Amino acid sequence: MPTVTVGQENDADIEIYYEDHGAGQPVVLIHGYPLSGRAWDKQVPVLLEAGYRVITYDRRGFGKSSQPTSGYDYDTFAADLRALVEHLDLRDAVLVGHSMGTGEVTRYLGSYGSARVAKGVLVSPIPPYLLQADDNPDGVPQGLFDGFAQAARADTPAWMKGFLDNFYNIDTLRGTLISDQAYQASWNLAVTASATAAVACIQTWTTDFRDDLPKIDVPMLVVQGDADQVLPLDKTGARLPGLIKDATLVVIEGGPHAIAWTHAGKVNTALLDFLRG
């Protein structure tokens, strides 16, 4: 298995699993909670066919990557991404994140700059700042995140089921845009996440990215569904064009959080148009 070592816990290496296919301009796909690089199964073949080199990887704690009990914060996640980018010596790369993965893209560009990056894409984004605060009154109260973490800790499989219900808007899209089999595959993958990661990642959703956004100096595409039940459009993606120098927002009508699966055709069209533009 191709991996890059990003640290150690006790005497064991912490390794990030990745897949690297094709040739051409590199596109790095960064998945959301609680899945893995397999979340991009409807994008990878399309990008390869269009002539791009496509790299996916599993965040620490998920998929085939190591499951350490530390490092579940965006400074570490961005450092893991940087280690992979430098290990593969990527140049002129496009960083594409979904959900939690948009935090890696944003923090990477805010911390390490764009020397190796040509463009960025934020699908169903978590920036700019979800947490309710004096200077962010329209955010989400801390108590909601605490309740999520408590539920995840008490019964992770049940928590994952409830999360994925909202992830796919299962109440309205089941049997049409999301099959029972695809939903089950996501749950099967979700419950392989480490017990630590399943809980610890929830508090990272309150990360403040507002200082990172003005530092982004490459063109950015934001793609989000207007029926996103996990990260509502008005609290996230709709705010970004005013905070990033060069950002284009594409809103997908009726799209849930998991638009890369349910509305793959529209997401892929927006992505390819942006890559070629």
Side-chain angles (χ1 to χ4, degrees):
M1 288 199 326
T3 61
V4 57
T5 302
V6 294
Q8 279 200 320
E9 184 175 49
N10 295 338
D11 294 325
D13 287 342
I14 300 171
E15 297 183 328
I16 298 298
Y17 169 80
Y18 67 90
E19 295 191 9
D20 182 2
H21 303 291
Q25 185 179 19
V27 179
V28 183
L29 301 172
I30 308 159
H31 68 87
Y33 178 98
L35 304 177
S36 74
R38 293 297 305 276
W40 298 103
D41 279 0
K42 288 194 176 184
Q43 283 68 52
V44 172
V46 172
L47 289 167
L48 289 172
E49 186 177 345
Y52 293 95
R53 176 183 176 187
V54 183
I55 297 110
T56 61
Y57 73 94
D58 298 349
R59 183 179 292 105
R60 63 169 61 208
F62 297 86
K64 298 177 183 176
S65 289
S66 297
Q67 300 195 347
T69 57
S70 63
Y72 296 99
D73 61 86
Y74 271 106
D75 288 342
T76 306
F77 295 151
D80 290 349
L81 172 57
R82 183 193 192 192
L84 177 64
V85 167
E86 295 189 347
H87 173 70
L88 297 176
D89 194 24
L90 301 182
R91 309 277 176 176
D92 198 34
V94 181
L95 303 181
V96 182
H98 173 252
S99 191
M100 267 192 74
T102 64
E104 270 98 332
V105 175
T106 303
R107 182 54 52 86
Y108 177 99
L109 289 168
S111 297
Y112 304 116
S114 59
R116 292 178 176 268
V117 180
K119 296 179 178 181
V121 181
L122 308 178
V123 181
S124 307
I126 203 164
Y129 186 32
L130 273 183
L131 184 64
Q132 188 177 74
D134 290 343
D135 62 351
N136 193 43
D138 294 328
V140 178
Q142 178 66 50
L144 189 65
F145 299 101
D146 293 340
F148 290 163
Q150 184 178 1
R153 190 176 294 111
D155 187 340
T156 304
W159 154 255
M160 291 300 185
K161 194 268 183 192
F163 183 84
L164 291 171
D165 284 352
N166 292 325
F167 191 81
Y168 285 111
N169 288 13
I170 207 74
D171 55 337
T172 57
L173 302 183
R174 180 184 180 187
T176 54
L177 297 182
I178 176 69
S179 67
D180 288 349
Q181 292 77 17
Y183 177 94
Q184 186 64 46
S186 291
W187 184 86
N188 292 349
L189 182 57
V191 294
T192 68
S194 82
T196 298
V199 177
C201 282
I202 292 168
Q203 292 303 334
T204 72
W205 303 345
T206 66
T207 300
D208 188 349
F209 294 99
R210 291 176 297 179
D211 288 342
D212 298 290
L213 297 169
K215 300 174 185 175
I216 297 176
D217 60 358
V218 295
M220 300 291 290
L221 172 68
V222 182
V223 187
Q224 190 162 15
D226 63 7
D228 191 326
Q229 294 181 18
V230 175
L231 297 171
L233 176 64
D234 63 333
K235 296 184 185 301
T236 54
R239 298 173 61 189
L240 292 175
L243 299 172
I244 298 172
K245 294 184 186 75
D246 182 359
T248 301
L249 173 63
V250 173
V251 177
I252 295 179
E253 184 178 356
H257 192 60
I259 48 173
W261 182 269
T262 61
H263 293 71
K266 292 181 179 179
V267 171
N268 293 347
T269 296
L271 181 56
L272 288 173
D273 286 348
F274 178 68
L275 289 173
R276 293 165 174 160

